[in-house]
Amino acid sequence: MASNDVEAEAPRKVLVAIDEGKITEQMLEFAMSQLMRKDRDRLVILNVRHAQPFPGTERVFSSAHEANLWERRAREQSRQLLADLEAKAHKAGVASVSLVSTDGDPREKIVHVAKESHADLVVVGNRKGGAVSRLKHMMGSVSDYCAHHSPCPVLIFRQTCP
């Protein structure tokens, strides 16, 4: 068997960075149906929770208890979102799925997880309009940062419906 045949058959890792937006399910479906060999490739689903409840803003909690409640709620929402997407991936026939939930700056965490997991491809979404669009100009978009800093190719998925 030629070495090119072996490389063509090697399992790949596809990292899909998701949030709670409408684009998440479309992006995951696209990755599973168009980018992966479901019987061989490994799907890594990453959810990065922002360190603050409202990205780019300061929020003062009235107590440490309130801050802990917010953090626990965010972790639970992330856990539930990942569990739901894992079930959909398995139902779609993806044999190998791993889940990562973490806190921090999504730009840095996506690149970090791509490096640590030895991802072969990163899939990120591209949002449109609103406050997020204005923040992009101040901070730089997640997709742009990943495209410039990722150790592997990055596919930027655009939302296909309003």
Side-chain angles (χ1 to χ4, degrees), residues 60-80:
V60 177
F61 291 102
S62 61
S63 68
H65 177 70
E66 182 182 341
N68 288 335
L69 284 176
W70 182 87
E71 189 175 320
R72 274 190 293 199
R73 190 174 14 226
R75 276 195 197 121
E76 178 56 29
Q77 287 172 340
S78 178
R79 188 201 63 74
Q80 187 61 54

Side-chain angles (χ1 to χ4, degrees), residues 61-153:
F61 291 102
S62 61
S63 68
H65 177 70
E66 182 182 341
N68 288 335
L69 284 176
W70 182 87
E71 189 175 320
R72 274 190 293 199
R73 190 174 14 226
R75 276 195 197 121
E76 178 56 29
Q77 287 172 340
S78 178
R79 188 201 63 74
Q80 187 61 54
L81 175 64
L82 289 170
D84 291 347
L85 295 174
E86 178 182 35
K88 287 180 184 189
H90 285 306
K91 186 176 179 180
V94 177
S96 180
V97 181
S98 61
L99 308 174
V100 180
S101 178
T102 188
D103 293 318
D105 181 340
R107 298 170 300 171
E108 294 173 1
K109 292 295 184 172
I110 293 168
V111 170
H112 175 76
V113 172
K115 287 177 184 173
E116 292 294 312
S117 68
H118 304 286
D120 296 295
L121 176 68
V122 174
V123 182
V124 294
N126 184 13
R127 295 179 177 241
K128 300 179 191 177
V132 173
S133 181
R134 288 188 295 277
L135 282 174
K136 284 182 189 179
H137 295 295
M138 293 186 323
M139 297 172 42
S141 74
V142 171
S143 56
D144 183 64
Y145 183 90
C146 291
H148 287 91
H149 295 89
S150 175
C152 61

Side-chain angles (χ1 to χ4, degrees), residues 146-159:
C146 291
H148 287 91
H149 295 89
S150 175
C152 61
V154 175
L155 184 137
I156 301 172
F157 185 85
R158 292 189 155 220
Q159 189 170 359

Side-chain angles (χ1 to χ4, degrees), residues 31-45:
M32 292 186 302
S33 66
Q34 303 296 317
L35 304 174
M36 296 185 66
R37 298 167 299 182
K38 296 177 189 177
D39 61 332
R40 274 177 265 171
D41 294 341
R42 180 175 195 89
L43 174 63
V44 180
I45 307 173

